[in-house]
Amino acid sequence: MYQAHNRDAACKSINEGKTSLGIELGSTRIKAVLIDENFTPIAAGSHYWENQLEDGIWTYHLDNVWTGLQNCFHNLSLDVKNNYNLEISSVGAIGVSAMMHGYLAFDRDGVQLAQFRTWRNTTTGKAASLLTEKLKFNIPLRWSIAHLYQAMLDDEPHVKNIDYLTTLAGYVHWKLTGKKALGIDDASGMFPVDSITQNYDCQMLKQFNEFASGLNYSWNINEILPDIIKAGDTAGSLTQEGAMLLNPEGLLKAGIPFCPPEGDAGTGMVATNSIAERTGNISAGTSIFAMIVLEKNLSKVYPEIDIVATPDGKPVAMVHCNNCTSDIDAWVKLLSEAAEITGNKNNDKTAFYAALYSKALEADIDCGGLLSYNYISGEPITGLKEGRPVFTRLADSKFTLANFIRTMLFSAFGTLKYGMDILTEKENVRIDSLLGHGGLFKTKGAGQKLLSGALNTPVSVMEASAAEGGAWGIALLAAFMLYKRHSNKGLTLEQFLSNNVFANLESIKVYPASDDVKSFKIFMQRYTAGMEIERAAVKNFKG
């Protein structure tokens, strides 16, 4: 997959244990990236997986977590073997990242008590509403505390036995190191955190325990949440059992230090150098979310805006939408099948996406009057507990490929626009730079250009991070931990990234084109006016 420009330097980094390994469990792919001491990716491995909808719950089986991680690490090892003729027996440091939020509950013996409920689930409406009201802080449907409180309200039998509640990254880290810990960004998607104390908000912990006491559980919330460990600090080391979990062949040695596990939002911020105030990034893949680092707190609570934290604890406004590219991917697969039956087999998936996305740039300014809603699952920002992908048009609409693809891309940005407008128009949040990463930006040009027009702001993509995203971001956090252990310079994470990692990295910046701004404005008027179509589909189209 990779071959470093300087093969000898890469071999030296591997042999001397000066590499850092980042592992991220994304929605559709588990990826591992190995970086050298110059923070450059020198090897990678991946494994594709999918969530399942079981009994109305979006979930992954934990057995598949380990199957996927082992295959991912095996593929990374093969990449190292093929390119450098070396075996991976150790690395300098490891970090684990994964999809944030959700619900993973265990008893005191480490037995899983309920299905893993991912961020995608929208079954926690009552709990999220009550928590937001009581805590005077927006608690989204997907947050771990919302899932927990909903299970408590529903009197689910397993709740009384909870000894530990964590996220996917926290679970994997726990099994590899024995440490029940999280970085502050991932923790901030479980329960509100305090940017001053760099820990869970103690007043809100107290409030939760008070109003939950009437439900008569023997534990309190303080006891079952992971410990928060600061970026740059060591969060345990690989145990022998953990080494065998990751590498059953037994080549990987125990004792490798781990940085705090983080959520994909935090690693996205790191991978785009977006942890300073007035910077932001947009991750566009299965879901889409924007993270804007705030100069000051917002004036009020908005259900569309989540307040989380950078990996070094600064407050962040997060606009999170459950749906982004899944519907596009389904249509691309269909178009690929259509091409294949005519003899045009598309072996190069990336090129096929690039051709289609580029076609969107030829679309009519009004997208030909086409309309799409990309809701594979529910979307809290627009108040939908379930989703139905919908494409519709008038009889006289201009149904061309260019108009169709642009409509699909605009649909991926539609819900995000509602939240971003709150920040920029109602709260006057200033954004100096906005960087994109994730699957949508692997195809150069069109997605970035149209997103810039949709948000009416410049959007940059760093070539070194656009394809790697969070796996590279968590590898950088592991490297930061190593740097702090071996250096007396005392750099903050922000300084480390700006001075050591990104100083010489170039980015491609695209400014909003007036025609794209106008085109998206026309689309959003149609999108907003037609939202009842999506609601009717959810109500009337049942499986």
Side-chain angles (χ1 to χ4, degrees), residues 511-530:
Y511 291 87
S514 58
D515 282 352
D516 292 335
V517 174
K518 183 177 179 181
S519 181
F520 189 74
K521 184 175 181 180
I522 294 170
F523 172 83
M524 281 303 293
Q525 289 171 344
R526 186 182 306 126
Y527 185 86
T528 300

Side-chain angles (χ1 to χ4, degrees), residues 121-358:
N121 291 286
T122 54
T123 56
T124 59
K126 183 178 180 181
S129 178
L130 287 172
L131 287 169
T132 299
E133 177 186 347
K134 292 174 183 293
L135 299 178
K136 302 294 188 290
F137 188 95
N138 183 38
I139 303 295
L141 301 180
R142 66 188 183 281
W143 278 27
S144 305
I145 193 62
H147 283 282
L148 173 64
Y149 195 44
Q150 189 66 55
M152 294 166 71
L153 294 174
D154 293 341
D155 199 24
E156 293 191 36
H158 77 270
V159 177
K160 65 180 182 296
N161 296 319
I162 294 177
D163 183 72
Y164 184 43
L165 184 68
T166 191
T167 64
L168 182 56
Y171 163 72
V172 172
H173 181 88
W174 171 38
K175 291 300 179 182
L176 294 179
T177 69
K179 299 293 185 181
K180 296 178 177 179
L182 281 183
I184 194 168
D185 168 67
D186 207 7
S188 72
M190 294 192 74
F191 193 91
V193 299
D194 184 332
S195 60
I196 304 299
T197 65
Q198 301 276 290
N199 214 323
Y200 300 109
D201 188 292
C202 61
Q203 183 60 30
M204 293 188 197
L205 288 172
K206 182 180 178 182
Q207 287 175 284
F208 182 87
N209 284 324
E210 287 174 352
F211 64 72
S213 62
L215 298 173
N216 297 317
Y217 290 104
S218 59
W219 49 260
N220 66 55
I221 190 65
N222 312 56
E223 298 170 342
I224 65 172
L225 291 172
D227 293 332
I228 294 178
I229 298 181
K230 295 179 181 179
D233 290 349
T234 303
S237 58
L238 185 67
T239 63
Q240 189 60 53
E241 294 82 2
M244 292 301 294
L245 270 176
L246 196 56
N247 175 230
E249 293 86 355
L251 294 176
L252 192 63
K253 297 176 182 177
I256 301 168
F258 273 65
C259 70
E262 272 295 7
D264 51 358
T267 54
M269 286 186 267
V270 170
T272 54
N273 195 24
S274 303
I275 65 167
E277 293 175 354
R278 291 170 55 168
T279 65
N281 77 92
I282 290 181
S283 172
T286 303
S287 62
I288 186 169
F289 53 83
M291 311 285 293
I292 311 299
V293 185
L294 299 173
E295 295 179 276
K296 59 188 176 77
N297 292 329
L298 301 183
S299 65
K300 57 182 287 190
V301 173
Y302 295 95
E304 300 90 349
I305 310 294
D306 311 340
I307 302 299
V308 290
T310 65
D312 58 349
K314 300 185 189 76
V316 175
M318 180 181 193
V319 182
H320 183 282
C321 310
N322 284 354
N323 301 282
C324 184
T325 60
S326 294
D327 192 37
I328 296 173
D329 293 342
W331 281 106
V332 170
K333 182 179 179 183
L334 181 71
L335 293 170
S336 180
E337 289 179 8
E340 284 184 19
I341 64 172
T342 63
N344 298 309
K345 189 166 184 178
N346 298 290
N347 293 320
D348 190 339
K349 187 177 179 181
T350 301
F352 192 61
Y353 269 89
L356 290 174
Y357 281 19
S358 296

